[in-house]
Amino acid sequence: MSAAQWRRAMNSAAAAAAPTVRVPPARPRTALPTSAANEVATSWWTRWFARIRARHVVVLVAIVVYPFVASPFFAYQIGAQALALGLIALSLTFLGGYGGMVSLAQMSVAGLAGYGVAIFGTSSAAAISLGWPWWLATALAIVVATAFAAAVGWLSVRTEGIYTIMITLAIGVAFFYLAQQNYTVFNGFQGFSKLGVPEVLGVESRDPVPFYFVALACALAGYFLVKHLVRAPFGIALQGIRDNPRRMASLGYAVTAHRVAAYAVSGLLAAVGGVLMAWYNGRISPGTVNLSAMISILIIAVLGGMKHPIGAFVGAIVYVLLQNFAIDLFVRERFNLVIGAGFLAIVLFSPDGLLGLWAKLRSSLVKTQTPQQTRRQL
Amino acid sequence: MTRISRALLALLALAIVAFSAWALVDNAPLYLKTLLNGLTLASLYFLVASGFTLVFGLMRNVNLAHGSLYLLGAYVGWVVGDHTGSWLLAVAAGFLSAAVLGLLMQVFVFRHMEGQDLRQTLVTIGLSIVLADLMLWGFGGEIYTFDPPPLIYGSTVLPVVEKFPTYRIAVLIAAIVIGIGLWTFLARTRVGMMIRAGVDDRGMLAASGVNVQLVFAITFAIGAGLAGLAGVVGGTALSISPGEDTRYLLASLVVVIVGGMGSVVGASIGALLIGLAEQFGLAYAPTYSVVFTFVIMVVALAFRPRGILGRAA
């Protein structure tokens, strides 16, 4: 999407959103004291800039400067991987936090996108890979994975609540076994290696700094897409459905359609994350989509906190840091024990994850603020 | 049931009959052997899934650590069997160890988060990760196997199939016995009646003066114990190694999704369908055998979203 198109889309979406949603429910604190008519009149970027706080600037500067300051290991292994994983976890945060549907198949969607890159593009398995140019392969992979996510959604929204987690888990594990057993399409146990990575204007995008920025651009786009969607009519309706599907249905909303659409959107996010992961690793194999990988996405999302999109990235950073340095800090090779125990502790003692901890900490430190102000509403 | 779905079902039945006829004419021993293997696998799946469905039906607790209970029972059973040399003691130890762990989980964790379905499920995921890593730590990545007692060891000569492992026939019979036992327990005893009442209406059961926590604890112990028992029985039929927990967790998930959650009879139907589909898939279309399992799940969900014998929660 070009910049002009994007702006137009944002404009029309904002105009459509403004009359129906006067107070953006995502952030009551930042609601402007203008009337709805004024809100439509002011251009979208004035309102956009009015919302920017000092911490936003600090974070933005930090993530842009980071790869130039940090060593290639930190930029690539930690930074880029956390961004890609965070994007996949973000898809779960959107689906679970705003749609109330906790899907464990997000990693399968991401993995399918990765497989798509390998199958449509170039890889070591020349007999299977079609060798199409990277942009075509990537676009197709994302489309296929998004369609898969919508199909998973269509299947799992037939039942409700806790059943969702079971059905998506079953689908995800079945996909893992299929990828492992099938040699004609998924190349079985060894999967694909030496994936073709895009090379634009002579810049190899797997070099640490360019790849970091590719990942950062995708992650930021995903983050702002979610931020925008949850304030748009679609997102508001989705949150309504999460809280009371029966009431929303009686108000005339197509509950199933909204849910399937939410799956498709989250599938798009996960697919982009999966393509990034495939490029990052340079290979894709059934191990990428096994049960522990599926659960690690859930861990990341829950660890960070599902009440705000930033939680996914916070969780991803903590997870990747633990993954890389747990070996030095704790007993060797007991990473799963550490991460499992940490996950248990978070679920048992702070259901809102690290963001919830942070909010608690802040409300206890800053006594002047009332609890309503510090508590983040969705 | 609409006319279209009835016609589709008839078409499916016709396809299965046609396939069976072709397979019998083509290679009868292979077909019958696959059928027997499928039944054996189905009995194993039933043993694991019946506990899962029991716990889910009563407590709305999707115990994703169920696979870990299976593996734990298998490992503990192996240690006991190795020390005492008695396979029956190993089975008992597998049942008891998993039952005790399930009881502890219910009393110390799940009792404190009643009604929070998602949080309970997340806790079971955390537990399954921790348990899997602890077991990997304790037992390593090796493959363990059991020796069943001589009575059911070796092979039996059957018509057409010729040789078939006696142990697998024993598993089949044991599963049928346990299934009937479980059904009798649920349908004919007082505690079973309480459990069934709890599945239908938990609040009403508590209001009529039953100690619901005790019923929950008993159910959880039995459900977990069945997983541990299946661990030893399944470990003898196949083998035990890290990763088996995932396999049986998937199997129980699919079985209860297909059969209907909370129904033991549904679990037996689901186990039969999945076990047979998996074995026939492996024998006749090896690289796509998982797809059959999946297709069964999709078809079941498409026609009956709550499973074949599932009822509204």
Side-chain angles (χ1 to χ4, degrees), chain A residues 158-159 162-163 166 169-171 173-174 177-178 181-182 184 291 295 298-299 334 336-337 340 343 347-348, chain B residues 52 62 113 117 119 121-123 125-126 129-130 133 137 246-247 250 253 261 288-291 294 301-302 305:
Chain A
R158 299 181 64 85
T159 58
I162 206 70
Y163 298 78
M166 298 173 69
L169 179 64
I171 291 172
V173 178
Y177 280 116
L178 176 67
Q181 285 184 1
N182 186 289
T184 48
L291 183 66
I295 285 175
L298 181 72
I299 290 179
R334 290 279 80 86
N336 273 334
L337 198 60
F343 176 73
V347 173
L348 287 175
Chain B
F52 188 85
V62 178
M113 40 181 79
D117 297 351
R119 209 165 146 216
T121 308
L122 293 182
V123 168
I125 290 179
I129 298 169
V130 170
D133 206 51
W137 198 357
T246 314
R247 222 192 96 169
L250 172 75
L253 277 175
M261 300 178 216
Y288 290 97
S289 70
V290 176
V291 178
F294 188 67
L301 278 177

Side-chain angles (χ1 to χ4, degrees), chain A residues 299 303 318-319 321-346, chain B residues 126 129-131 133-134 137:
Chain A
I299 290 179
L303 202 64
V318 172
Y319 182 85
L321 283 175
L322 266 181
Q323 197 176 34
N324 280 283
F325 297 108
I327 291 169
D328 303 332
L329 291 177
F330 308 100
V331 192
R332 243 160 45 84
E333 289 171 5
R334 290 279 80 86
F335 167 70
N336 273 334
L337 198 60
V338 172
I339 201 82
F343 176 73
L344 257 182
I346 285 280
Chain B
I129 298 169
V130 170
L131 284 175
D133 206 51
L134 283 177
W137 198 357

Side-chain angles (χ1 to χ4, degrees), chain A residues 74-88 211-212 215 276-277 280-281 300 316-317 319-321 323-324:
Chain A
F74 268 90
Y76 190 65
Q77 214 89 315
I78 307 285
Q81 201 194 356
L83 286 169
L85 273 176
L87 195 56
I88 303 174
F211 185 79
Y212 175 82
L276 286 176
M277 283 298 282
Y280 166 82
N281 288 320
I300 290 170
I317 292 168
Y319 182 85
V320 173
L321 283 175
Q323 197 176 34
N324 280 283

